[in-house]
Amino acid sequence: MEISEAQKLIDNWIKTMGIRYFNELTNTAILMEEVGEVARIMARQYGEQSFKKSDTEVNLADEMADVLFVLICLANQTGIDLTEALEKNMQKKSIRDAERHKNNEKLK
């Protein structure tokens, strides 16, 4: 699926199943909540924290999809074409970091 297709799919879902978008501030708070859920899983699965009994049914892929869903909602609400934004961001990074990581002793 292309990013533009995902933006259209989610916009259609919101308008039919979700009734309407939550306002931007609410969606920003929801995004932070979803990122926190990803962080919780990462800390337990790849970090030093242990899982609790209530964590037995966690699904990292599903939580990451929740983050993406809300991020796409915010992009739709604010008129951002995520394909264009990502392309510009990658160009910026490619110019800015052309030699940066190659010359980073910590990465060798």
Side-chain angles (χ1 to χ4, degrees), residues 44-102:
R44 283 156 177 75
Q45 192 163 336
Y46 300 99
E48 286 78 33
Q49 283 194 328
S50 60
F51 282 97
K52 298 177 183 178
K53 288 182 183 178
S54 61
D55 293 331
T56 57
E57 298 298 318
V58 297
N59 182 320
L60 182 58
D62 187 54
E63 295 303 336
M64 286 184 174
D66 285 343
V67 169
L68 185 57
F69 180 91
V70 180
L71 183 63
I72 290 173
C73 285
L74 283 165
N76 287 350
Q77 290 175 273
T78 57
I80 293 172
D81 177 329
L82 283 173
T83 299
E84 181 182 323
L86 184 58
E87 287 170 350
K88 287 181 180 178
N89 187 269
M90 290 304 298
Q91 288 172 357
K92 175 188 78 175
K93 283 176 174 46
S94 295
I95 293 166
R96 181 191 67 200
D97 300 331
E99 298 297 321
R100 178 175 165 224
H101 299 300
K102 292 177 190 173

Side-chain angles (χ1 to χ4, degrees), residues 1 3 7 11 18 23 29 31 34-35 37 41 43 47-49 52 60 62-64 69-71 75 102 104 107:
M1 178 184 309
I3 297 172
Q7 284 194 251
D11 187 60
N23 69 46
L31 178 62
E34 297 297 349
V35 168
E37 291 175 12
I41 294 170
E48 286 78 33
Q49 283 194 328
K52 298 177 183 178
L60 182 58
D62 187 54
E63 295 303 336
M64 286 184 174
F69 180 91
V70 180
L71 183 63
K102 292 177 190 173
N104 183 347
L107 298 178

